[in-house]
Amino acid sequence: MANIERFGSIFLLFLTIILSISSISCEQTFLTNQAALFVFGDSVFDVGNNNYINTFRAAQANVWPYGQTTFKFPTGRNSDGRLIPDFIAEYAWLPLIPPYLQPGNSISQFTYGVNFASAGAGALVETYKPQNVIPLGSQLNNFKNVEKMFKEKLGEAETKRIISRAVYLIQIGPNDYFYPFSVNISYFQSNSKDRFVDYVIGNTTTVIEKIYKIGGRKFGIMNMGRLDCVPGLLTLDPTRIGSCFEPITELIKLHNIRIPNVLRDIQRRFPEFKYSLFDSYSAGTEAMENPTKYGFKEVKKACCGSGPFRGSSTCGYRAGTSREFELCENVSDYMFFDGSHTSEKANQQTAELMWDGPSDLVGPFTLKTLSTPKLHAQCVKAFEK
């Protein structure tokens, strides 16, 4: 009996050691094959790059109450807390991805990814050009600078490994479609909407193809969301106060019809190209039409701002000035934090859908599929716990 007990104890000890070694091996395999995250886009993704450029006030979020929920101080994110890339990084077991322009960044940080996004940016160079934001083409140049740094510090082979396994997250276009109206409300009465949408998509896909030729293979892309229904646009048409701005709705729908076909064409021409296209428009519409299902009490009025629907871009202006703002009591009740940007709660819901949502909203791959390295089945079960 004593021998049996001794054998049982030895067996359990042996099994514990094997499982511990297996767990360590799984972790090492995961970390070795982890996909970096490189982020391109506008204010929906900008985690602080505009803090370090001389741009207009509305394109910066480095004042309170921005950042109040999670960080407890303004970080440059256009929300009360985290943005979509922050959550995606968390789901991919990555640290917060730093803004490219942040002083003190190191190569070791950049191997996990870099955020190049700039609030106010567009696919077109002309979009908010006088305001000195960083357009998509310039963001690509910044990525090339990082690639050069990798080659100098890490060598060609390691650079190729990082770039080929990385996921490239892109959100661009809303500023391109809004900017013409901010300059001339009747711009599209004399300019072709079809041609304009083709320009925006063309510039975006040019950048995607250039990243592919550098070595990138996996891309996460959002279509145009409900830009037409953000609080700041509900008063743009004085004859339809409180309604979505239809001239932009038309541009959004044109864009969303064309972008899937364009991505499929890229896939035909570049066999190793893999992508995840998220239907931001349908997801946003669903939340606006069924707010209580998603935990919201208010989907038209912003938490922070002034004027009708708190849609005026005054969030963060000092009290006592001519542009004093109002701030809601409970931001978790609101879909929008300011007149153009969603709350952290809404950002998290979007990120969850992009990461592993249903096939009617995201495809042909999810970000989870693109980001997770191929592991042994036992390792997959360990990490899912």
Side-chain angles (χ1 to χ4, degrees):
M1 189 71 171
N3 287 337
I4 293 173
E5 289 178 354
R6 185 181 305 158
F7 174 78
S9 299
I10 293 170
F11 176 76
L12 286 174
L13 178 61
F14 177 75
L15 183 61
T16 301
I17 293 170
I18 292 296
L19 290 174
S20 297
I21 293 171
S22 175
S23 176
I24 293 169
S25 176
C26 282
E27 186 172 345
Q28 288 175 339
T29 302
F30 184 88
L31 293 175
T32 302
N33 294 281
Q34 200 171 21
L37 185 64
F38 295 106
V39 182
F40 302 78
D42 52 28
S43 56
V44 176
F45 283 0
D46 183 0
V47 295
N49 280 308
N50 278 20
N51 290 348
Y52 308 104
I53 62 175
N54 182 24
T55 186
F56 64 131
R57 169 63 187 81
Q60 291 181 315
N62 53 359
V63 291
W64 185 89
Y66 289 103
Q68 66 174 12
T69 300
T70 297
F71 303 101
K72 310 303 179 186
F73 63 90
T75 63
R77 290 167 171 82
N78 282 273
S79 187
D80 60 294
R82 289 164 290 180
L83 302 185
I84 292 166
D86 297 320
F87 289 107
I88 298 300
E90 178 186 330
Y91 304 153
W93 290 60
L94 294 166
L96 284 177
I97 305 302
Y100 172 72
L101 294 179
Q102 178 176 277
N105 283 328
S106 66
I107 282 288
S108 59
Q109 285 177 294
F110 281 180
T111 57
Y112 293 109
V114 188
N115 189 310
F116 302 99
S118 171
L124 306 180
V125 176
E126 297 81 6
T127 299
Y128 290 111
K129 186 176 183 179
Q131 284 74 30
N132 197 36
V133 296
I134 310 168
L136 185 60
S138 296
Q139 293 178 33
L140 174 65
N141 291 335
N142 290 338
F143 170 67
K144 289 178 180 178
N145 290 338
V146 170
E147 182 209 16
K148 183 180 178 182
M149 290 167 60
F150 284 163
K151 287 180 177 179
E152 291 174 351
K153 301 291 184 179
L154 305 175
E156 292 277 351
E158 181 65 7
T159 299
K160 183 178 179 180
R161 187 192 72 83
I162 292 170
I163 286 175
S164 64
R165 292 180 180 177
V167 173
Y168 299 84
L169 198 59
I170 301 172
Q171 149 67 25
I172 204 76
N175 291 311
D176 296 303
Y177 294 131
F178 174 71
Y179 182 65
F181 294 103
S182 70
V183 176
N184 178 7
I185 199 72
S186 59
Y187 177 86
F188 287 105
Q189 290 179 9
S190 56
N191 290 274
S192 167
K193 292 177 181 176
D194 285 286
R195 192 175 300 134
F196 191 84
V197 170
D198 284 342
Y199 287 151
V200 173
I201 293 178
N203 280 26
T204 303
T205 54
T206 294
V207 167
I208 290 172
E209 291 181 18
K210 286 181 178 179
I211 293 172
Y212 183 92
K213 288 173 182 176
I214 291 170
R217 292 294 181 265
K218 300 180 290 185
F219 296 79
I221 298 151
M222 299 174 73
N223 73 3
M224 291 301 104
R226 295 312 305 260
L227 165 69
D228 52 336
C229 300
V230 300
L233 295 193
L234 298 181
T235 59
L236 209 55
D237 183 348
T239 66
R240 302 179 71 251
I241 299 295
S243 298
C244 302
F245 188 56
E246 287 188 353
I248 285 186
T249 310
E250 295 175 40
L251 294 167
I252 290 170
K253 288 183 176 180
L254 283 172
H255 181 104
N256 289 349
I257 288 170
R258 293 177 188 179
I259 195 70
N261 296 328
V262 169
L263 293 173
R264 281 191 288 267
D265 178 64
I266 295 175
Q267 192 174 44
R268 281 191 294 268
R269 291 185 289 113
F270 301 102
E272 294 180 33
F273 175 76
K274 293 182 179 180
Y275 69 94
S276 173
L277 176 62
F278 176 64
D279 188 355
S280 181
Y281 186 90
S282 295
T285 301
E286 163 69 11
M288 288 176 174
E289 292 180 350
N290 302 282
T292 55
K293 180 180 176 182
Y294 299 91
F296 297 118
K297 294 180 180 178
E298 181 58 71
V299 295
K300 294 184 78 171
K301 189 177 185 180
C303 170
C304 184
S306 59
F309 307 103
R310 294 195 188 119
S312 188
S313 301
T314 56
C315 187
Y317 280 88
R318 292 182 180 179
T321 66
S322 59
R323 306 198 72 184
E324 190 170 345
F325 64 93
E326 301 170 1
L327 183 64
C328 68
E329 289 186 7
N330 188 0
V331 66
S332 65
D333 291 338
Y334 288 74
M335 182 175 180
F336 292 96
F337 180 64
D338 68 13
S340 303
H341 306 101
T342 44
S343 62
E344 178 182 79
K345 181 176 177 178
N347 291 335
Q348 182 171 12
Q349 292 176 359
T350 299
E352 287 172 355
L353 291 172
M354 293 176 69
W355 180 251
D356 196 23
S359 59
D360 61 329
L361 287 178
V362 59
F365 297 96
T366 64
L367 289 180
K368 180 180 180 181
T369 305
L370 295 180
S371 300
T372 307
K374 292 180 180 179
L375 302 172
H376 188 276
Q378 183 180 345
C379 292
V380 172
K381 287 180 181 179
F383 280 105
E384 284 180 345
K385 293 176 183 178

